[in-house]
Amino acid sequence: MLGSIGMACYGVVHLLVAWLAIQVVFGSSQQTDQKGAVGALAQTPVGPVLLWALAVGLFAYALWQLFMVVSGYGWIPKKRKRTVRKLGSASRGVVSTAI
């Protein structure tokens, strides 16, 4: 469940960045990074509530990814592939926490 909520929030962050990129194309904005997306969301009436929900969701996603590093991918028989997957999960966990 942590993963599902977190992945949805991770997707919302990317949709916000895409929305800002579209605004730049049409000349109505200059900022298209995560900070710009968060700032745009914070200016809406329900922005603070959504930002907290996104923060909790991204933290849940990061926890899920770090849990996968510790105990996941046991079904993959080759150790090298399992290690690569664990490194990917670790990097996604770090990036989610940073966002």
Side-chain angles (χ1 to χ4, degrees):
M1 185 162 122
L2 286 177
S4 299
I5 293 169
M7 288 196 67
C9 291
Y10 198 67
V12 168
V13 170
H14 283 86
L15 288 173
L16 287 169
V17 172
W19 174 63
L20 288 172
I22 289 169
Q23 286 184 337
V24 167
V25 169
F26 292 111
S28 61
S29 178
Q30 297 294 323
Q31 202 169 12
T32 59
D33 58 359
Q34 281 90 0
K35 289 180 185 176
V38 170
L41 184 59
Q43 293 174 359
T44 65
V46 293
V49 173
L50 289 175
L51 285 175
W52 276 107
L54 280 174
V56 169
L58 286 171
F59 186 69
Y61 180 74
L63 284 177
W64 175 56
Q65 290 299 307
L66 295 175
F67 176 74
M68 292 299 288
V69 171
V70 173
S71 65
Y73 304 112
W75 64 89
I76 298 175
K78 293 184 180 179
K79 186 175 181 178
R80 181 180 171 126
K81 273 189 167 182
R82 189 170 45 241
T83 302
V84 168
R85 295 273 177 105
K86 286 184 176 191
L87 288 172
S89 287
S91 65
R92 284 187 296 274
V94 169
V95 169
S96 299
T97 303
I99 291 174

